[in-house]
């Protein structure tokens, strides 16, 4: 057997094979704790940024150029993810997953703390505060780009048939972190109502906890050498190969367009809560916690159970349809608010639409990730998942930038949601080609 031919790899490989569940559990905990910090910061980032942008840009909150600047701030995190996700994926193929994950967590500690410092500055120092916010989000994006490495840990420790279950664990970590992160943010503002910077400091402390947990408990899951260890760290040919490979290129395109549409809603939600519902900063966290709860329940419970019966392509079709319907519903909520409808129907329309859109996204993302992994070379899974993550990051760069610009351009705030719904639904026609690429099979798994 190969182990006898390479005795130096025998112990690590057997150890990795012996404890796949422990590796999955630990990477889940590390990602979850780090994402708590993300869930704490995101709900107020557009509102904090809007305050500083309005103080710097002539015209204040009514300035249409402010939407583009705010969009750049919201997009800066994903810009760094787009650049660094494939780099971290390739380096993790070369040197292992663990050191890359630890480096990312250490960076999160530093840049969340910087976010806290910037958020504490008053309007007299708005330009400096805005610059520090950009640095903090750019740095956090570099650190957060290691999520593709966490996905590679899942690929290392699961069989192809079980991979979508493992990828759903990452989605569940997002959902749980996005549920409890906003609740922690709500509690922080309850305890320190005059210190918005406390959000960044709490997020930094949680990332430090995740770092310590990872150092002590996270095993290395990538031990074999081979071609991956000899590839260059940044190889544009690898990107072209991934996009040209059968089915995988289409999957990347679907993920890009769906995430672009969803990114418009995600970036504008805090402003929508303030403008449509007149919610306070603290209560804004509760809407984000609701979104996270839906994501957690769907990916952590519903998806994992239905995955035993349905193919990934079926989940993708349902997910795209639900996302388009949910985005259209958010547009309907803004239409009601523009016509000064009562609070209750606006709130009900928003809550239902959010649940539908998030359910669709929860069905779509693990299915695309699992299919991308299953249809790629095992030696290049870190790279392929990194390319997929970069496509998602590029969509999250353009989505907030376009969404917030459209939001400020349209007094009724309808444009981001109409455009988002159309773009998401445009991905439906490519699903038959993806289905044919998987060979014959039934809708239901037997």
């Amino acid at each position: 057997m190969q182990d006898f031919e390479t005795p130096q790899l025998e112990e690590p490989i057997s150890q990795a094979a012996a404890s796949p569940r422990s590796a999955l559990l630990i990477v889940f905990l590390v990602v979850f704790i780090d994402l708590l910090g993300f869930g704490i910061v995101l709900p107020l980032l557009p509102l904090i940024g809007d305050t500083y942008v309005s103080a710097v840009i002539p015209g204040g909150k009514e300035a249409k150029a402010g939407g583009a600047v705010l969009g750049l701030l919201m997009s800066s995190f994903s810009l760094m993810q787009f650049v660094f996700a494939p780099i971290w994926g390739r380096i993790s193929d070369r040197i292992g997953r663990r050191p890359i994950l630890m480096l990312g967590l250490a960076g999160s500690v530093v840049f969340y703390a910087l976010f806290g410092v910037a958020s504490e500055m008053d309007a007299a120092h708005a330009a400096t505060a805005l610059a520090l916010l950009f640095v903090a989000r750019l740095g956090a994006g570099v650190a957060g780009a290691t999520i593709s490495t966490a996905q590679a840990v899942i690929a290392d420790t699961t069989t192809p048939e079980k991979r979508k279950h493992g990828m759903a664990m990452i989605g569940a970590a997002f959902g749980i972190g996005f549920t409890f992160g906003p609740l922690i943010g709500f509690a922080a503002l309850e305890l320190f109502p005059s210190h918005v910077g406390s959000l960044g400091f709490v997020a930094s402390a949680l990332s430090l906890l995740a770092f310590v947990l990872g150092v002590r408990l996270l095993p290395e899951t990538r031990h074999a050498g081979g071609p991956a260890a000899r590839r260059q760290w940044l190889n544009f040919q690898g990107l072209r190969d991934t996009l040209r490979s059968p089915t995988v290129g289409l999957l990347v395109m679907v993920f890009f367009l769906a995430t672009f549409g969803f990114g418009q809603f995600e970036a504008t939600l805090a402003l929508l809560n303030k403008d449509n519902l007149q919610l306070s900063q603290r209560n804004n966290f509760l809407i984000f916690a609701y979104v996270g709860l839906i994501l957690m329940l769907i990916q952590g419970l519903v998806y994992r159970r239905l995955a035993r019966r349905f193919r990934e392509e079926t989940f993708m079709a349902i997910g795209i349809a639900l996302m388009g319907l949910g985005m259209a519903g958010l547009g309907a909520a803004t239409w009601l608010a523009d016509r000064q409808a009562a609070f209750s129907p606006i709130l009900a329309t928003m809550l239902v639409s959010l649940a539908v859109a998030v359910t669709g996204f929860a069905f779509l993302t693990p299915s695309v990730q699992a299919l991308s992994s299953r249809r790629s070379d095992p030696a290049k899974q870190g790279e392929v998942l990194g390319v997929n993550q970069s496509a998602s990051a590029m969509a999250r760069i353009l989505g907030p930038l376009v969404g917030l610009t459209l939001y400020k351009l349209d007094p009724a705030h309808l444009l981001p949601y109409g455009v988002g719904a159309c773009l998401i639904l445009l991905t439906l026609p490519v699903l038959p080609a993806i289905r044919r690429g998987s060979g014959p099979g039934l809708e239901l798994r037997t």
Side-chain angles (χ1 to χ4, degrees), residues 375-445:
R375 298 182 185 181
S376 63
D377 183 346
K380 296 184 178 181
Q381 283 179 348
E383 178 182 339
V384 170
L385 290 170
V387 170
N388 198 49
Q389 190 68 20
S390 281
S392 172
M394 176 56 78
R396 290 181 182 276
I397 295 168
L398 299 175
L401 182 59
V402 173
L404 285 164
T405 301
L406 293 176
Y407 189 92
K408 291 286 188 178
L409 285 175
D410 177 20
H413 311 308
L414 281 168
L415 283 177
Y417 311 107
V419 171
C422 290
L423 288 174
I424 289 168
L425 293 174
L426 281 175
T427 63
L428 282 173
V430 306
L431 290 182
I434 293 174
R435 189 181 299 275
R436 287 194 300 269
S438 64
L442 297 175
E443 286 297 308
L444 289 175
R445 291 202 182 276

Side-chain angles (χ1 to χ4, degrees), residues 9 11 16 33 39 56 75 92 98 122 154 192-193 195 204 222 274 287 317 373 387 390-391 429 435 440 443:
L9 296 179
E11 181 178 351
I33 295 173
V56 173
S75 299
S92 77
R98 189 174 184 273
D122 55 31
I154 302 295
F192 308 103
H195 294 283
S204 177
R222 170 72 180 172
K274 183 187 71 172
I287 297 294
S373 175
V387 170
S390 281
R435 189 181 299 275
E443 286 297 308

Side-chain angles (χ1 to χ4, degrees), residues 350-379:
M350 283 191 63
L351 292 179
V352 172
S353 300
L354 286 171
V356 171
V358 172
T359 298
F361 197 66
F363 280 175
L364 178 64
T365 50
S367 302
V368 171
Q369 291 161 356
L371 274 179
S372 298
S373 175
R374 288 174 59 187
R375 298 182 185 181
S376 63
D377 183 346

Side-chain angles (χ1 to χ4, degrees), residues 35-36 38-41 43 175-191 199 202 206 281-293 296:
L35 288 172
L36 282 176
F38 184 81
I40 291 170
V41 167
I176 299 173
F178 210 69
T179 300
F180 290 97
L183 293 178
I184 294 173
F186 178 89
L189 283 186
E190 186 73 24
L191 293 173
L199 301 173
V202 171
L206 288 170
Q281 288 185 340
R282 283 184 299 162
N283 290 335
N284 178 61
F285 279 106
L286 299 180
I287 297 294
F288 277 84
Y290 168 77
V291 169
L293 178 63
M296 175 182 66

Side-chain angles (χ1 to χ4, degrees), residues 225-246:
R230 295 192 295 270
R231 296 198 304 268
Q232 298 176 2
W233 287 358
L234 183 59
N235 184 352
F236 290 102
Q237 182 61 44
L239 174 62
R240 289 192 293 268
D241 290 343
T242 297
L243 295 178
R244 290 174 178 174
S245 62

Side-chain angles (χ1 to χ4, degrees), residues 116-149:
V117 172
S119 301
E120 285 292 294
M121 294 184 173
D122 55 31
H125 301 91
T128 301
L130 188 59
L132 288 179
L133 281 180
F134 269 102
V135 173
R137 297 311 293 160
L138 288 167
V142 174
T146 56
I147 190 65
S148 63
T149 306

